Amino acid sequence: MKRLFWGAMYVLAAVMVVLTVYLYVLPEGEIILGDEKIEQNTEQRPVPTVKVGGVEVEVGETELSALLNAGFQLKYEDQNGNFVALKTDEMADAAMQYSLVLVKGDDYVASIKYSNANAYSIPISSCKIDALTFNTEAQGYGKTEVQLSGVDMTNGLTMGEVPDKFKDYTKASGDTEEYSKTVLTDKQFVVAYVRVSDLQSGKVGEFGVVNYQPTDEGTGGGRSAASSAEESNGNH
């Protein structure tokens, strides 16, 4: 009886060891493997970039100085509807996002958002670019070379060309024809998109890349171009 009892206990102990390995060790290995797969997927899906006038921009990472040093300017619309150049030697307030217009010479290039995520003021040129969005129907568009994810957008595209040129973009559901790509990293939540024109049937009317912030709404919260810029100019 004693031998039978201890034999049963040994079998029970062996079963408990197997269960422990199955319940704790294997899941941990699967989790680790899962993380590696996520990291590999992140590497396989690089953050979409925009190249503007030869300057490559990765939203959430590239500083505004990259564009300013290449001759681009920032402008905002005042209360009278006039576009006024922003003084780029000003300071950006702490924890603030700004929305303005990017120009080259007198020509429109894009709408731009940039931010200072620090708890203290920094030079505007040191702010990170959060978004670049382009309107192909805006006056002046097309005079500066623009690429989205390596695709030349300078002279426009038809929506029929988008699936072949943006193979890793997904067609969105809804009434508005749109293709987009979303990439999540440990620092960024980036959405690149290509959207049909409201004015020209079958043509790309808008495209861009946005790094969404926690307080963003739509294409990214932030202060209006006029209020942010005028307050900045008034306070310094």
Side-chain angles (χ1 to χ4, degrees):
M1 285 295 292
K2 288 184 178 181
R3 289 181 179 179
L4 182 60
F5 172 78
W6 287 111
M9 292 300 293
Y10 288 141
V11 171
L12 180 60
V15 170
M16 293 299 293
V17 169
V18 171
L19 285 175
T20 301
V21 170
Y22 179 77
L23 292 174
Y24 295 97
V25 177
L26 285 180
E28 183 178 355
E30 290 174 0
I31 291 171
I32 294 173
L33 179 59
D35 289 342
E36 289 177 352
K37 287 181 178 179
I38 291 173
E39 290 176 3
Q40 290 172 359
N41 289 338
T42 301
E43 292 175 358
Q44 292 170 0
R45 286 178 59 83
V47 175
T49 60
V50 176
K51 185 174 284 188
V52 188
V55 180
E56 188 170 52
V57 175
E58 179 180 331
V59 292
E61 291 292 333
T62 303
E63 292 186 355
L64 197 55
S65 59
L67 292 173
L68 299 178
N69 292 341
F72 290 91
Q73 288 183 299
L74 300 172
K75 288 190 176 183
Y76 65 93
E77 187 175 3
D78 64 15
Q79 295 178 346
N80 298 320
N82 300 315
F83 282 91
V84 181
L86 182 72
K87 297 179 180 179
T88 54
D89 58 351
E90 303 284 356
M91 300 293 285
D93 294 335
M96 191 63 66
Q97 186 184 66
Y98 300 87
S99 304
L100 285 90
V101 176
L102 184 71
V103 300
K104 189 72 176 286
D106 294 326
D107 298 319
Y108 161 90
V109 177
S111 296
I112 186 171
K113 291 186 178 183
Y114 61 90
S115 64
N116 171 20
N118 299 294
Y120 49 85
S121 298
I122 62 173
I124 287 176
S125 59
S126 298
C127 290
K128 296 292 180 67
I129 299 171
D130 290 325
L132 278 172
T133 56
F134 301 81
N135 181 352
T136 63
E137 292 151 355
Q139 184 175 358
Y141 177 82
K143 295 184 178 181
T144 300
E145 183 181 359
V146 179
Q147 294 181 12
L148 173 64
S149 296
V151 178
D152 189 358
M153 305 292 287
T154 311
N155 298 316
L157 292 177
T158 65
M159 290 302 294
E161 295 177 284
V162 173
D164 287 335
K165 292 184 178 293
F166 297 91
K167 295 185 182 298
D168 56 348
Y169 282 48
T170 303
K171 187 173 183 179
S173 59
D175 297 332
T176 302
E177 187 177 7
E178 179 179 325
Y179 292 81
S180 64
K181 175 181 178 179
T182 302
V183 177
L184 179 65
T185 73
D186 58 343
K187 296 180 181 178
Q188 302 154 287
F189 175 36
V190 177
V191 178
Y193 68 93
V194 180
R195 187 176 299 153
V196 70
S197 169
D198 292 331
L199 302 178
Q200 301 182 61
S201 178
K203 297 285 188 178
V204 172
E206 184 181 340
F207 65 93
V209 182
V210 181
N211 180 39
Y212 285 83
Q213 301 293 325
T215 57
D216 283 351
E217 296 178 1
T219 54
R223 305 168 80 180
S224 68
S227 62
S228 62
E230 287 181 341
E231 287 179 20
S232 177
N233 288 337
N235 292 333
H236 298 285

